[in-house]
Amino acid sequence: MEALRSIGYTCWQVSGLQSESDYRCGGSAGIEIIAPVFPFNLPSSTNQSGRHRTRPQSRREAKQSQIQAIALFDIKLVRTYCESALLLLRYALFGPAMLSQDIIDKVAAQLGRAPQGLERIAVWRDDNPAVIQVAPMVRRQPFPTLFWLVDPIMNLAIDRIEAAGHIAELQLQVDNSVEIRAQMVVDHDHHRRLREQLLTPEQSAAIIEYGFEPVFEQRGVGGIAAQDRIRCLHTWIAAHLVRPNVIGQLTEPLIEPAVFRGLQLDSEFLTLGE
């Protein structure tokens, strides 16, 4: 577990489990391993406190203690192998995690849960994550939404815009403009190219192996398949803060300028996709 924590991931996060208490070797098959009573407290004829036995072990009890000792050792060995396998799987599918535990904790606090498929931070607000990059596969399922908005200030601003009905007004602009729809097609194409550029060879191979190529070929910004539909402003703004898009440009005038203060693109994304 320490090896996984040192790279910013724990076993239950890598395997898709929600918490450490859910993690058990063989847990996915419904098997719960219960650790036997620790067998190395030798019986004592002098200790009368009740914490140890007050009589010698019988041969049967001694044999049971030996079996328990072997079982406990085997359980620890199996868990070690499981943890090593999960660590190797994490490296194989997603590459080495470069995020500190402090950053992962910040993202978890923003989301209200442990992050799944967290790859890197794309946009910062000062020292806090604002937009995260998500792995293309989470729990062996395709996740074409490349960027996810986690900044609470921007999220609140977008929530208010959507609650006020502006998303319908923006969609009406799209429906009435050939130019906007054409630019949305271009934005989706640029987004797909950037997403492909960010894939590791292992991720590309996994997408092919599971037959998910059509998902990533057909879906662009926010994992949206319909090229001329907005669907969700949060995903458009998340992508817009990394690479400008037409929906982000139409939405910007609806957002207070102060909301953009302190936002900065991560240096790793300055030249990507150019």
Side-chain angles (χ1 to χ4, degrees):
M1 292 288 246
E2 291 304 320
L4 288 170
R5 288 195 178 99
S6 68
I7 65 166
Y9 281 81
T10 50
C11 279
W12 57 94
Q13 290 169 333
V14 176
S15 62
L17 299 175
Q18 294 299 317
S19 67
E20 185 170 11
S21 62
D22 291 333
Y23 175 78
R24 296 182 180 88
C25 295
S28 60
I31 301 171
E32 180 176 349
I33 298 177
I34 302 175
V37 176
F38 191 64
F40 303 113
N41 286 337
L42 299 178
S44 170
S45 59
T46 59
N47 190 319
Q48 302 297 324
S49 65
R51 295 178 60 188
H52 300 91
R53 295 176 183 269
T54 57
R55 60 179 176 79
Q57 284 184 313
S58 66
R59 289 194 176 193
R60 181 178 180 181
E61 290 170 333
K63 185 64 175 178
Q64 288 177 338
S65 294
Q66 291 175 356
I67 293 173
Q68 288 176 338
I70 293 171
L72 181 61
F73 175 78
D74 288 344
I75 290 171
K76 290 182 177 179
L77 187 62
V78 169
R79 291 196 61 152
T80 299
Y81 279 127
C82 287
E83 291 169 6
S84 299
L86 289 171
L87 179 58
L88 290 173
L89 179 63
R90 164 66 198 171
Y91 275 114
L93 291 179
F94 308 119
M98 302 303 294
L99 299 176
S100 68
Q101 189 62 50
D102 178 61
I103 296 301
I104 294 172
D105 290 342
K106 286 183 178 181
V107 174
Q110 291 169 325
L111 293 173
R113 55 180 170 79
Q116 300 282 325
L118 175 60
E119 290 277 270
R120 53 173 67 86
I121 309 303
V123 180
W124 300 84
R125 184 184 293 279
D126 300 321
D127 294 328
N128 295 306
V131 176
I132 61 174
Q133 178 194 333
V134 184
M137 288 178 59
V138 178
R139 295 187 179 186
R140 295 186 181 181
Q141 296 299 316
F143 196 86
T145 303
L146 178 60
F147 299 116
W148 197 267
L149 187 64
V150 296
D151 178 67
I153 299 174
M154 183 64 75
N155 266 320
L156 179 59
I158 301 302
D159 287 344
R160 289 172 173 170
I161 290 171
E162 291 188 345
H166 289 297
I167 193 169
E169 297 173 3
L170 291 170
Q171 186 62 59
L172 186 60
Q173 291 185 54
V174 172
D175 295 341
N176 293 331
S177 173
V178 175
E179 292 80 9
I180 294 177
R181 293 199 301 275
Q183 186 58 51
M184 288 177 72
V185 172
V186 173
D187 291 337
H188 281 299
D189 184 56
H190 287 171
H191 190 80
R192 282 189 289 266
R193 291 182 184 180
L194 177 59
R195 183 172 58 203
E196 184 177 354
Q197 185 177 353
L198 291 169
L199 291 176
T200 66
E202 293 80 12
Q203 289 172 337
S204 298
I207 289 172
I208 294 172
E209 179 183 354
Y210 285 95
F212 293 146
E213 305 104 298
V215 175
F216 294 93
E217 291 170 357
Q218 298 167 8
R219 296 177 181 270
V221 177
I224 299 170
Q227 302 282 289
D228 60 349
R229 311 308 294 175
I230 297 175
R231 303 295 188 201
C232 175
L233 284 178
H234 295 81
T235 54
W236 280 99
I237 291 298
H240 178 67
L241 293 174
V242 180
R243 291 291 181 272
N245 59 61
V246 66
I247 300 303
Q249 292 167 347
L250 292 175
T251 307
E252 274 196 32
L254 303 174
I255 303 172
E256 292 290 334
V259 174
F260 291 94
R261 290 176 192 158
L263 293 177
Q264 184 175 2
L265 186 66
D266 187 85
S267 59
E268 191 172 357
F269 286 86
L270 291 176
T271 57
L272 281 172
E274 295 296 338

